[in-house]
Amino acid sequence: MFSGLSSFIYFPSITAISASLHVSIELINLTITSYQIVSGIAPSILGDLADQSGRRPVCLIAFTLYFAANLGLALQNNYTALVVLRCLQSAGASSTISIAYGFIADIAPPSERGSYVGILQGFTNSAPSLGPILGGVLTETLSWHWVFWLLVIMSGINLLILSLIMPETSRKMVDNGSILPPRLISRPLFSHLKSSTSRRSDATVAPRGTVRFPNPLTCLAALWQRTSFLVILVGGIQYTIYGCLAASFSTLMIRLYSLNYLTGGLVYLPCGIGGIVAAYTTGKLLDRDYIRTAKRYNLPVDKSTNDISKFPIEHARLLSVFPLLMISTTATVGFGWALYQHTSIAVPLTLTFFSGASQVAIFTVCGTLLTDLNPNQSATIQAGYNLIRCTLSASGIAALQPLINAIEVGWCFTIYGIIGALCIPIFVLLRTRGMQWRTESSHPHGCEGRTEESSQDVRALGTISEKRSV
Protein backbone atom coordinates (compact mmCIF):
# COMPACT_ATOMS: atom_id res chain seq x y z
CA MET A 1 0.00 0.00 0.00
CA PHE A 2 2.72 2.49 0.96
CA SER A 3 4.49 2.31 -2.39
CA GLY A 4 1.44 3.31 -4.41
CA LEU A 5 0.17 5.74 -1.76
CA SER A 6 3.48 7.64 -1.68
CA SER A 7 3.28 8.08 -5.43
CA PHE A 8 -0.39 9.00 -5.90
CA ILE A 9 -0.78 11.22 -2.82
CA TYR A 10 2.03 13.38 -4.21
CA PHE A 11 0.38 14.27 -7.54
CA PRO A 12 -2.16 16.89 -6.33
CA SER A 13 0.58 18.80 -4.48
CA ILE A 14 2.90 19.23 -7.48
CA THR A 15 1.75 22.76 -8.30
CA ALA A 16 1.90 23.86 -4.65
CA ILE A 17 5.41 22.43 -4.18
CA SER A 18 6.57 24.13 -7.38
CA ALA A 19 5.36 27.51 -6.15
CA SER A 20 6.70 27.00 -2.63
CA LEU A 21 10.20 25.97 -3.74
CA HIS A 22 10.27 28.47 -6.65
CA VAL A 23 11.07 25.85 -9.29
CA SER A 24 9.33 24.84 -12.51
CA ILE A 25 6.77 22.08 -12.87
CA GLU A 26 9.26 20.27 -15.14
CA LEU A 27 11.78 20.10 -12.28
CA ILE A 28 9.12 18.80 -9.89
CA ASN A 29 8.23 16.16 -12.47
CA LEU A 30 11.83 14.96 -12.27
CA THR A 31 11.12 13.91 -8.68
CA ILE A 32 8.41 11.63 -10.07
CA THR A 33 10.77 10.16 -12.65
CA SER A 34 13.49 9.57 -10.04
CA TYR A 35 10.91 7.94 -7.74
CA GLN A 36 9.89 5.51 -10.50
CA ILE A 37 13.49 4.66 -11.40
CA VAL A 38 14.39 3.83 -7.80
CA SER A 39 11.15 1.86 -7.34
CA GLY A 40 12.25 -0.41 -10.17
CA ILE A 41 15.76 -0.98 -8.83
CA ALA A 42 15.52 -1.02 -5.01
CA PRO A 43 13.31 -4.14 -4.67
CA SER A 44 15.83 -6.19 -6.65
CA ILE A 45 18.41 -5.44 -3.93
CA LEU A 46 16.29 -5.75 -0.79
CA GLY A 47 14.26 -8.63 -2.25
CA ASP A 48 17.42 -10.68 -2.78
CA LEU A 49 18.55 -9.78 0.74
CA ALA A 50 15.18 -10.84 2.21
CA ASP A 51 15.46 -14.29 0.60
CA GLN A 52 18.95 -14.66 2.13
CA SER A 53 18.81 -13.14 5.61
CA GLY A 54 15.10 -13.35 6.42
CA ARG A 55 11.99 -11.26 5.99
CA ARG A 56 11.81 -9.42 9.32
CA PRO A 57 15.21 -7.63 9.32
CA VAL A 58 14.85 -6.42 5.74
CA CYS A 59 11.26 -5.35 6.30
CA LEU A 60 12.33 -3.29 9.33
CA ILE A 61 15.17 -1.75 7.33
CA ALA A 62 12.80 -0.80 4.51
CA PHE A 63 10.22 0.79 6.81
CA THR A 64 12.87 2.60 8.87
CA LEU A 65 14.27 4.09 5.65
CA TYR A 66 10.75 4.99 4.52
CA PHE A 67 9.85 6.61 7.86
CA ALA A 68 13.08 8.65 7.95
CA ALA A 69 12.61 9.82 4.34
CA ASN A 70 9.03 10.95 5.04
CA LEU A 71 10.18 12.84 8.13
CA GLY A 72 12.86 14.60 6.10
CA LEU A 73 10.37 15.45 3.33
CA ALA A 74 7.94 16.94 5.85
CA LEU A 75 10.65 19.21 7.28
CA GLN A 76 12.57 20.27 4.15
CA ASN A 77 12.10 23.34 1.95
CA ASN A 78 14.84 22.71 -0.61
CA TYR A 79 14.59 21.23 -4.10
CA THR A 80 17.78 19.16 -3.86
CA ALA A 81 16.62 17.68 -0.57
CA LEU A 82 13.25 16.93 -2.17
CA VAL A 83 14.85 14.90 -4.97
CA VAL A 84 17.21 12.95 -2.69
CA LEU A 85 14.58 12.21 -0.06
CA ARG A 86 12.01 11.14 -2.67
CA CYS A 87 14.55 8.58 -3.92
CA LEU A 88 15.04 7.28 -0.37
CA GLN A 89 11.29 7.24 0.14
CA SER A 90 10.89 5.15 -3.02
CA ALA A 91 13.65 2.73 -1.98
CA GLY A 92 11.91 1.98 1.30
CA ALA A 93 8.32 1.88 0.08
CA SER A 94 8.73 -0.05 -3.18
CA SER A 95 10.66 -2.88 -1.52
CA THR A 96 7.83 -3.71 0.88
CA ILE A 97 5.72 -5.34 -1.85
CA SER A 98 8.31 -7.96 -2.80
CA ILE A 99 9.00 -8.63 0.89
CA ALA A 100 5.25 -9.07 1.48
CA TYR A 101 5.17 -11.78 -1.20
CA GLY A 102 8.01 -13.45 0.68
CA PHE A 103 5.88 -13.56 3.82
CA ILE A 104 2.97 -15.01 1.85
CA ALA A 105 5.14 -17.77 0.36
CA ASP A 106 6.31 -18.69 3.87
CA ILE A 107 2.97 -18.84 5.67
CA ALA A 108 0.36 -19.67 3.02
CA PRO A 109 0.14 -23.11 1.36
CA PRO A 110 -0.75 -23.14 -2.34
CA SER A 111 -4.36 -24.08 -1.58
CA GLU A 112 -4.86 -20.85 0.42
CA ARG A 113 -2.34 -18.55 -1.22
CA GLY A 114 -4.80 -16.85 -3.56
CA SER A 115 -6.71 -15.27 -0.66
CA TYR A 116 -3.52 -13.86 0.84
CA VAL A 117 -2.39 -12.37 -2.46
CA GLY A 118 -5.90 -10.99 -2.99
CA ILE A 119 -5.76 -9.13 0.33
CA LEU A 120 -2.30 -7.78 -0.52
CA GLN A 121 -3.49 -6.61 -3.95
CA GLY A 122 -6.55 -5.04 -2.36
CA PHE A 123 -4.41 -2.85 -0.10
CA THR A 124 -1.96 -2.11 -2.89
CA ASN A 125 -4.66 -0.97 -5.31
CA SER A 126 -6.55 1.14 -2.79
CA ALA A 127 -3.73 3.68 -2.99
CA PRO A 128 -4.38 4.95 -6.56
CA SER A 129 -7.95 5.88 -5.63
CA LEU A 130 -7.40 7.20 -2.09
CA GLY A 131 -4.03 8.88 -2.65
CA PRO A 132 -5.13 11.71 -4.97
CA ILE A 133 -8.10 12.54 -2.74
CA LEU A 134 -6.00 12.67 0.45
CA GLY A 135 -3.29 14.66 -1.30
CA GLY A 136 -5.77 17.16 -2.71
CA VAL A 137 -7.57 17.70 0.61
CA LEU A 138 -4.35 18.10 2.63
CA THR A 139 -2.74 20.44 0.11
CA GLU A 140 -5.88 22.56 -0.21
CA THR A 141 -6.77 22.83 3.49
CA LEU A 142 -3.37 22.69 5.26
CA SER A 143 -0.18 22.64 3.15
CA TRP A 144 1.81 20.27 0.97
CA HIS A 145 4.04 19.47 3.98
CA TRP A 146 1.08 17.67 5.57
CA VAL A 147 1.09 15.17 2.73
CA PHE A 148 4.37 13.88 4.14
CA TRP A 149 3.37 14.35 7.78
CA LEU A 150 0.47 11.96 7.16
CA LEU A 151 2.92 9.42 5.72
CA VAL A 152 5.20 9.95 8.75
CA ILE A 153 2.32 9.11 11.12
CA MET A 154 1.16 6.08 9.13
CA SER A 155 4.63 4.62 8.56
CA GLY A 156 5.67 5.30 12.16
CA ILE A 157 2.69 3.40 13.56
CA ASN A 158 3.28 0.56 11.11
CA LEU A 159 6.98 0.37 11.99
CA LEU A 160 6.17 0.22 15.70
CA ILE A 161 3.66 -2.60 15.22
CA LEU A 162 6.06 -4.59 13.03
CA SER A 163 8.88 -4.18 15.56
CA LEU A 164 6.71 -5.44 18.40
CA ILE A 165 4.87 -8.43 16.97
CA MET A 166 6.10 -9.41 13.47
CA PRO A 167 7.93 -12.79 13.62
CA GLU A 168 10.50 -14.15 11.23
CA THR A 169 8.82 -16.50 8.75
CA SER A 170 11.58 -17.49 6.32
CA ARG A 171 11.48 -21.27 5.98
CA LYS A 172 15.24 -21.33 5.51
CA MET A 173 15.68 -19.92 9.02
CA VAL A 174 12.73 -21.05 11.15
CA ASP A 175 11.30 -23.98 9.15
CA ASN A 176 7.64 -24.15 10.22
CA GLY A 177 8.24 -21.89 13.24
CA SER A 178 9.79 -24.56 15.45
CA ILE A 179 13.30 -23.07 15.16
CA LEU A 180 14.37 -19.75 16.67
CA PRO A 181 16.16 -17.35 14.29
CA PRO A 182 19.80 -16.76 15.26
CA ARG A 183 19.76 -12.95 15.37
CA LEU A 184 17.84 -10.87 17.92
CA ILE A 185 16.64 -8.52 15.18
CA SER A 186 14.84 -11.51 13.65
CA ARG A 187 12.73 -12.02 16.79
CA PRO A 188 9.69 -9.90 17.74
CA LEU A 189 10.07 -7.69 20.81
CA PHE A 190 6.93 -9.19 22.30
CA SER A 191 8.21 -12.75 21.96
CA HIS A 192 5.63 -14.01 24.45
CA LEU A 193 2.76 -13.26 22.05
CA LYS A 194 0.85 -15.97 20.23
CA SER A 195 3.40 -16.14 17.40
CA SER A 196 5.99 -17.47 19.85
CA THR A 197 4.01 -19.36 22.50
CA SER A 198 4.35 -22.64 20.63
CA ARG A 199 8.13 -22.56 20.98
CA ARG A 200 9.71 -24.17 24.03
CA SER A 201 12.34 -22.32 26.03
CA ASP A 202 14.88 -24.88 24.86
CA ALA A 203 13.87 -24.57 21.20
CA THR A 204 16.55 -25.12 18.61
CA VAL A 205 18.28 -21.96 17.42
CA ALA A 206 19.14 -21.80 13.75
CA PRO A 207 22.85 -21.44 12.94
CA ARG A 208 24.05 -18.10 11.61
CA GLY A 209 24.35 -18.38 7.86
CA THR A 210 26.56 -16.33 5.60
CA VAL A 211 24.91 -13.52 3.69
CA ARG A 212 26.45 -12.47 0.40
CA PHE A 213 26.21 -8.93 -0.90
CA PRO A 214 22.82 -8.61 -2.62
CA ASN A 215 22.96 -8.78 -6.40
CA PRO A 216 20.24 -6.74 -8.16
CA LEU A 217 20.68 -8.88 -11.28
CA THR A 218 19.65 -12.07 -9.45
CA CYS A 219 15.98 -11.24 -9.98
CA LEU A 220 16.47 -11.30 -13.77
CA ALA A 221 17.28 -15.02 -13.63
CA ALA A 222 13.51 -15.60 -13.79
CA LEU A 223 13.56 -14.50 -17.42
CA TRP A 224 15.36 -17.76 -18.27
CA GLN A 225 12.46 -19.80 -16.86
CA ARG A 226 9.79 -20.09 -19.51
CA THR A 227 6.86 -20.34 -17.11
CA SER A 228 7.89 -17.40 -14.93
CA PHE A 229 8.82 -15.30 -17.98
CA LEU A 230 5.39 -15.69 -19.55
CA VAL A 231 3.64 -14.78 -16.30
CA ILE A 232 5.84 -11.70 -15.94
CA LEU A 233 5.22 -10.75 -19.57
CA VAL A 234 1.43 -10.89 -19.19
CA GLY A 235 1.55 -9.03 -15.88
CA GLY A 236 3.82 -6.40 -17.41
CA ILE A 237 1.52 -5.86 -20.40
CA GLN A 238 -1.57 -5.51 -18.21
CA TYR A 239 0.27 -3.18 -15.81
CA THR A 240 1.30 -0.99 -18.75
CA ILE A 241 -2.32 -0.66 -19.90
CA TYR A 242 -3.39 -0.01 -16.30
CA GLY A 243 -0.79 2.75 -16.01
CA CYS A 244 -1.80 4.36 -19.32
CA LEU A 245 -5.44 4.43 -18.27
CA ALA A 246 -4.50 6.00 -14.93
CA ALA A 247 -2.28 8.58 -16.62
CA SER A 248 -5.14 9.62 -18.89
CA PHE A 249 -7.42 10.31 -15.90
CA SER A 250 -5.39 13.32 -14.75
CA THR A 251 -4.95 14.81 -18.22
CA LEU A 252 -7.62 13.87 -20.75
CA MET A 253 -10.61 13.65 -18.41
CA ILE A 254 -9.79 16.87 -16.57
CA ARG A 255 -9.46 18.72 -19.88
CA LEU A 256 -12.42 17.13 -21.69
CA TYR A 257 -14.87 17.43 -18.81
CA SER A 258 -13.53 20.69 -17.26
CA LEU A 259 -12.85 19.15 -13.84
CA ASN A 260 -11.07 20.91 -10.97
CA TYR A 261 -8.29 19.24 -9.00
CA LEU A 262 -10.57 17.78 -6.33
CA THR A 263 -13.08 16.28 -8.78
CA GLY A 264 -10.10 15.25 -10.91
CA GLY A 265 -8.95 13.15 -7.97
CA LEU A 266 -12.40 11.62 -7.58
CA VAL A 267 -12.29 10.11 -11.09
CA TYR A 268 -9.81 7.56 -9.72
CA LEU A 269 -12.43 6.12 -7.34
CA PRO A 270 -14.27 3.75 -9.74
CA CYS A 271 -11.02 2.14 -10.86
CA GLY A 272 -9.81 1.83 -7.27
CA ILE A 273 -13.06 0.43 -5.92
CA GLY A 274 -13.23 -2.07 -8.76
CA GLY A 275 -9.66 -3.12 -8.03
CA ILE A 276 -10.25 -3.61 -4.31
CA VAL A 277 -13.37 -5.72 -4.86
CA ALA A 278 -11.73 -7.75 -7.63
CA ALA A 279 -8.57 -8.45 -5.63
CA TYR A 280 -10.49 -9.98 -2.74
CA THR A 281 -12.93 -12.00 -4.85
CA THR A 282 -10.20 -13.22 -7.23
CA GLY A 283 -8.14 -14.44 -4.28
CA LYS A 284 -11.06 -16.55 -3.08
CA LEU A 285 -11.67 -17.74 -6.64
CA LEU A 286 -8.04 -18.88 -6.99
CA ASP A 287 -8.34 -20.97 -3.83
CA ARG A 288 -11.55 -22.54 -5.12
CA ASP A 289 -9.97 -23.29 -8.51
CA TYR A 290 -7.02 -24.97 -6.74
CA ILE A 291 -9.39 -27.30 -4.85
CA ARG A 292 -11.40 -28.01 -8.00
CA THR A 293 -8.27 -28.91 -9.94
CA ALA A 294 -7.03 -31.19 -7.16
CA LYS A 295 -10.36 -33.04 -7.09
CA ARG A 296 -10.47 -33.32 -10.87
CA TYR A 297 -7.10 -35.04 -11.04
CA ASN A 298 -7.48 -36.96 -7.73
CA LEU A 299 -4.53 -35.14 -6.17
CA PRO A 300 -4.15 -34.49 -2.43
CA VAL A 301 -4.37 -30.97 -0.99
CA ASP A 302 -1.33 -30.91 1.29
CA LYS A 303 -1.14 -27.72 3.38
CA SER A 304 2.17 -28.68 4.94
CA THR A 305 4.32 -28.22 1.83
CA ASN A 306 4.99 -25.84 -1.06
CA ASP A 307 5.86 -28.72 -3.39
CA ILE A 308 3.84 -28.47 -6.62
CA SER A 309 6.12 -30.62 -8.77
CA LYS A 310 3.29 -33.09 -9.44
CA PHE A 311 0.45 -30.58 -9.41
CA PRO A 312 -0.78 -28.76 -12.57
CA ILE A 313 -0.59 -25.36 -10.89
CA GLU A 314 -0.70 -23.47 -14.21
CA HIS A 315 -3.99 -25.13 -15.06
CA ALA A 316 -5.44 -24.34 -11.63
CA ARG A 317 -4.42 -20.68 -11.50
CA LEU A 318 -5.47 -19.89 -15.08
CA LEU A 319 -8.80 -21.67 -14.91
CA SER A 320 -10.85 -18.47 -14.66
CA VAL A 321 -8.51 -15.85 -16.13
CA PHE A 322 -9.73 -15.71 -19.74
CA PRO A 323 -13.02 -13.84 -19.08
CA LEU A 324 -10.95 -11.29 -17.15
CA LEU A 325 -8.68 -10.72 -20.15
CA MET A 326 -11.67 -10.21 -22.43
CA ILE A 327 -13.25 -7.71 -20.01
CA SER A 328 -9.96 -5.82 -19.73
CA THR A 329 -9.57 -5.60 -23.51
CA THR A 330 -13.18 -4.53 -24.11
CA ALA A 331 -13.15 -1.90 -21.35
CA THR A 332 -9.83 -0.45 -22.54
CA VAL A 333 -11.02 -0.04 -26.13
CA GLY A 334 -14.39 1.28 -24.99
CA PHE A 335 -12.75 3.86 -22.71
CA GLY A 336 -10.77 5.32 -25.60
CA TRP A 337 -13.79 5.65 -27.87
CA ALA A 338 -15.95 7.06 -25.04
CA LEU A 339 -13.45 9.89 -24.63
CA TYR A 340 -13.21 10.35 -28.41
CA GLN A 341 -17.00 10.69 -28.69
CA HIS A 342 -17.08 12.90 -25.56
CA THR A 343 -19.92 10.89 -24.06
CA SER A 344 -21.40 11.48 -20.63
CA ILE A 345 -18.69 11.21 -17.98
CA ALA A 346 -20.58 8.25 -16.49
CA VAL A 347 -19.59 6.11 -19.48
CA PRO A 348 -15.77 6.31 -19.15
CA LEU A 349 -16.04 6.11 -15.35
CA THR A 350 -18.07 2.90 -15.61
CA LEU A 351 -15.55 1.48 -18.05
CA THR A 352 -12.67 2.35 -15.70
CA PHE A 353 -14.44 0.35 -12.97
CA PHE A 354 -14.44 -2.74 -15.19
CA SER A 355 -10.92 -2.17 -16.54
CA GLY A 356 -9.53 -1.61 -13.04
CA ALA A 357 -11.36 -4.64 -11.65
CA SER A 358 -10.27 -7.01 -14.43
CA GLN A 359 -6.66 -5.81 -14.50
CA VAL A 360 -6.20 -6.02 -10.73
CA ALA A 361 -7.73 -9.50 -10.86
CA ILE A 362 -5.11 -10.44 -13.46
CA PHE A 363 -2.37 -8.97 -11.23
CA THR A 364 -3.64 -11.22 -8.41
CA VAL A 365 -3.47 -14.27 -10.67
CA CYS A 366 0.06 -13.41 -11.86
CA GLY A 367 1.35 -12.65 -8.36
CA THR A 368 -0.04 -15.89 -6.96
CA LEU A 369 1.28 -18.04 -9.80
CA LEU A 370 4.75 -16.49 -9.60
CA THR A 371 4.86 -17.25 -5.88
CA ASP A 372 3.73 -20.82 -6.54
CA LEU A 373 6.47 -21.33 -9.13
CA ASN A 374 9.22 -19.76 -6.97
CA PRO A 375 8.35 -20.38 -3.29
CA ASN A 376 11.99 -20.27 -2.14
CA GLN A 377 12.80 -17.03 -3.98
CA SER A 378 9.45 -15.29 -3.81
CA ALA A 379 10.80 -11.86 -2.81
CA THR A 380 13.49 -11.97 -5.49
CA ILE A 381 11.09 -13.09 -8.24
CA GLN A 382 8.62 -10.36 -7.34
CA ALA A 383 11.43 -7.83 -7.51
CA GLY A 384 12.19 -9.01 -11.04
CA TYR A 385 8.50 -8.80 -11.90
CA ASN A 386 8.42 -5.26 -10.52
CA LEU A 387 11.46 -4.22 -12.56
CA ILE A 388 10.05 -5.56 -15.84
CA ARG A 389 6.57 -4.17 -15.38
CA CYS A 390 7.89 -0.73 -14.35
CA THR A 391 10.06 -0.66 -17.47
CA LEU A 392 7.18 -1.66 -19.73
CA SER A 393 4.81 0.77 -18.03
CA ALA A 394 7.22 3.67 -18.35
CA SER A 395 7.59 2.91 -22.07
CA GLY A 396 3.83 2.67 -22.56
CA ILE A 397 3.11 5.92 -20.73
CA ALA A 398 5.87 7.69 -22.66
CA ALA A 399 4.21 6.62 -25.92
CA LEU A 400 0.69 7.54 -24.77
CA GLN A 401 0.54 11.24 -25.63
CA PRO A 402 2.44 10.95 -28.95
CA LEU A 403 0.00 8.21 -30.01
CA ILE A 404 -3.01 10.32 -29.03
CA ASN A 405 -1.60 13.27 -30.97
CA ALA A 406 -0.99 11.09 -34.03
CA ILE A 407 -4.11 8.92 -34.25
CA GLU A 408 -6.58 10.30 -31.65
CA VAL A 409 -7.52 8.76 -28.32
CA GLY A 410 -9.97 6.15 -29.69
CA TRP A 411 -7.44 4.40 -31.90
CA CYS A 412 -4.71 4.85 -29.28
CA PHE A 413 -6.57 2.77 -26.70
CA THR A 414 -7.66 0.35 -29.41
CA ILE A 415 -3.97 -0.41 -29.98
CA TYR A 416 -3.44 -0.86 -26.25
CA GLY A 417 -6.49 -3.13 -26.13
CA ILE A 418 -5.13 -5.30 -28.95
CA ILE A 419 -1.79 -5.58 -27.15
CA GLY A 420 -3.69 -6.65 -24.03
CA ALA A 421 -5.57 -9.30 -26.04
CA LEU A 422 -2.22 -10.90 -26.95
CA CYS A 423 -2.12 -12.12 -23.34
CA ILE A 424 -4.85 -14.66 -24.16
CA PRO A 425 -2.72 -16.94 -26.42
CA ILE A 426 0.21 -16.51 -24.02
CA PHE A 427 -1.85 -17.85 -21.13
CA VAL A 428 -3.29 -20.62 -23.32
CA LEU A 429 0.28 -21.73 -24.05
CA LEU A 430 1.25 -21.52 -20.39
CA ARG A 431 -1.80 -23.45 -19.24
CA THR A 432 -1.25 -26.31 -21.71
CA ARG A 433 2.57 -26.55 -21.63
CA GLY A 434 3.55 -25.11 -18.25
CA MET A 435 3.73 -28.34 -16.26
CA GLN A 436 5.61 -30.09 -19.06
CA TRP A 437 8.19 -27.30 -19.09
CA ARG A 438 8.65 -27.56 -15.32
CA THR A 439 9.12 -31.34 -15.58
CA GLU A 440 11.67 -30.95 -18.37
CA SER A 441 13.52 -28.33 -16.33
CA SER A 442 13.71 -30.66 -13.33
CA HIS A 443 14.69 -33.72 -15.43
CA PRO A 444 16.51 -32.55 -18.59
CA HIS A 445 16.33 -34.82 -21.61
CA GLY A 446 19.44 -36.83 -22.30
CA CYS A 447 20.45 -37.36 -18.67
CA GLU A 448 21.65 -40.85 -17.97
CA GLY A 449 20.37 -42.89 -15.11
CA ARG A 450 16.94 -41.32 -15.06
CA THR A 451 15.15 -42.41 -11.91
CA GLU A 452 11.92 -44.32 -11.70
CA GLU A 453 10.39 -41.37 -9.87
CA SER A 454 11.01 -39.01 -12.79
CA SER A 455 9.49 -41.55 -15.16
CA GLN A 456 6.39 -41.65 -12.98
CA ASP A 457 6.23 -37.85 -13.12
CA VAL A 458 6.23 -37.91 -16.92
CA ARG A 459 3.51 -40.58 -16.99
CA ALA A 460 1.46 -38.49 -14.57
CA LEU A 461 1.91 -35.49 -16.84
CA GLY A 462 0.63 -37.52 -19.75
CA THR A 463 -2.43 -38.57 -17.75
CA ILE A 464 -3.23 -34.94 -16.91
CA SER A 465 -2.78 -33.91 -20.54
CA GLU A 466 -5.18 -36.67 -21.61
CA LYS A 467 -7.78 -35.47 -19.11
CA ARG A 468 -7.47 -31.94 -20.45
CA SER A 469 -8.04 -33.06 -24.01
CA VAL A 470 -11.16 -34.92 -22.91
Side-chain angles (χ1 to χ4, degrees):
M1 177 179 181
F2 285 101
S3 179
L5 182 61
S6 301
S7 180
F8 282 87
I9 200 173
Y10 183 72
F11 293 154
S13 64
I14 289 175
T15 302
I17 295 174
S18 173
S20 176
L21 300 185
H22 306 290
V23 296
S24 66
I25 294 292
E26 287 75 13
L27 287 176
I28 297 298
N29 284 339
L30 288 178
T31 65
I32 300 175
T33 303
S34 61
Y35 184 97
Q36 292 175 335
I37 292 173
V38 174
S39 70
I41 298 173
S44 62
I45 298 174
L46 292 184
D48 184 30
L49 189 61
D51 282 334
Q52 293 184 67
S53 60
R55 319 298 187 197
R56 177 182 161 86
V58 180
C59 189
L60 293 178
I61 291 171
F63 268 104
T64 300
L65 179 62
Y66 181 63
F67 171 79
N70 286 325
L71 182 61
L73 286 165
L75 296 171
Q76 59 80 35
N77 285 287
N78 177 270
Y79 176 73
T80 302
L82 178 68
V83 175
V84 173
L85 290 169
R86 279 283 288 173
C87 290
L88 294 176
Q89 182 193 46
S90 176
S94 61
S95 301
T96 58
I97 297 177
S98 60
I99 298 171
Y101 273 102
F103 279 111
I104 290 174
D106 296 333
I107 65 176
S111 60
E112 301 175 356
R113 190 167 288 155
S115 295
Y116 284 83
V117 175
I119 294 171
L120 173 62
Q121 286 288 340
F123 277 105
T124 301
N125 289 282
S126 65
S129 57
L130 297 178
I133 298 174
L134 291 173
V137 170
L138 290 172
T139 303
E140 186 72 26
T141 58
L142 297 172
S143 77
W144 62 267
H145 289 91
W146 272 96
V147 168
F148 300 111
W149 279 119
L150 176 63
L151 296 177
V152 168
I153 295 170
M154 293 177 65
S155 60
I157 293 173
N158 192 69
L159 179 60
L160 177 62
I161 294 173
L162 294 178
S163 301
L164 293 176
I165 65 174
M166 180 182 66
E168 177 58 64
T169 63
S170 175
R171 295 275 176 159
K172 295 180 181 179
M173 299 181 64
V174 299
D175 193 35
N176 62 353
S178 60
I179 301 175
L180 286 175
R183 299 176 179 86
L184 292 179
I185 192 176
S186 299
R187 305 175 190 175
L189 298 181
F190 283 175
S191 58
H192 60 278
L193 293 181
K194 184 178 180 180
S195 60
S196 300
T197 54
S198 60
R199 299 183 182 121
R200 305 187 311 271
S201 59
D202 60 343
T204 304
V205 178
R208 288 177 178 264
T210 58
V211 179
R212 58 172 171 78
F213 189 81
N215 182 2
L217 299 180
T218 302
C219 64
L220 298 180
L223 298 180
W224 298 104
Q225 305 170 23
R226 283 176 289 187
T227 50
S228 295
F229 171 74
L230 292 180
V231 177
I232 290 173
L233 179 61
V234 170
I237 291 173
Q238 292 297 319
Y239 188 77
T240 300
I241 298 171
Y242 181 84
C244 289
L245 288 168
S248 69
F249 296 168
S250 59
T251 54
L252 292 174
M253 293 192 70
I254 288 178
R255 176 172 57 84
L256 290 174
Y257 296 99
S258 302
L259 306 176
N260 59 35
Y261 290 114
L262 180 57
T263 54
L266 292 175
V267 300
Y268 287 86
L269 275 177
C271 179
I273 293 172
I276 294 170
V277 173
Y280 179 78
T281 54
T282 304
K284 295 295 184 182
L285 181 63
L286 287 171
D287 290 347
R288 189 200 69 173
D289 288 346
Y290 186 96
I291 301 298
R292 287 176 58 192
T293 303
K295 290 181 178 178
R296 179 181 179 183
Y297 298 121
N298 297 318
L299 296 172
V301 178
D302 189 354
K303 297 184 178 182
S304 64
T305 179
N306 278 324
D307 183 19
I308 56 167
S309 59
K310 299 180 182 179
F311 191 92
I313 194 66
E314 297 85 358
H315 181 80
R317 298 306 188 202
L318 303 181
L319 194 62
S320 305
V321 77
F322 297 103
L324 299 173
L325 289 167
M326 289 187 285
I327 293 172
S328 172
T329 299
T330 304
T332 300
V333 175
F335 175 81
W337 287 107
L339 294 186
Y340 179 77
Q341 297 292 337
H342 203 176
T343 63
S344 167
I345 193 172
V347 177
L349 289 181
T350 301
L351 290 169
T352 61
F353 173 86
F354 286 105
S355 66
S358 56
Q359 287 156 1
V360 170
I362 295 168
F363 300 156
T364 305
V365 172
C366 291
T368 305
L369 183 53
L370 274 180
T371 305
D372 292 329
L373 296 172
N374 304 273
N376 297 323
Q377 288 186 305
S378 52
T380 302
I381 201 71
Q382 291 296 332
Y385 178 29
N386 177 75
L387 179 61
I388 297 301
R389 72 178 186 174
C390 284
T391 302
L392 291 176
S393 179
S395 302
I397 294 174
L400 178 63
Q401 194 59 48
L403 267 176
I404 292 175
N405 294 338
I407 59 176
E408 297 292 347
V409 65
W411 285 111
C412 171
F413 280 102
T414 298
I415 291 175
Y416 282 117
I418 293 172
I419 293 173
L422 296 177
C423 297
I424 296 176
I426 294 175
F427 266 165
V428 169
L429 178 64
L430 182 60
R431 186 181 176 190
T432 55
R433 300 289 301 277
M435 186 175 180
Q436 179 183 341
W437 288 340
R438 283 191 288 118
T439 303
E440 291 173 353
S441 176
S442 300
H443 307 289
H445 294 300
C447 292
E448 297 181 1
R450 191 170 195 172
T451 64
E452 177 63 24
E453 181 181 358
S454 68
S455 299
Q456 293 174 355
D457 289 347
V458 174
R459 289 196 294 271
L461 176 62
T463 303
I464 291 174
S465 299
E466 290 172 4
K467 290 187 177 182
R468 285 182 190 150
S469 61
V470 174

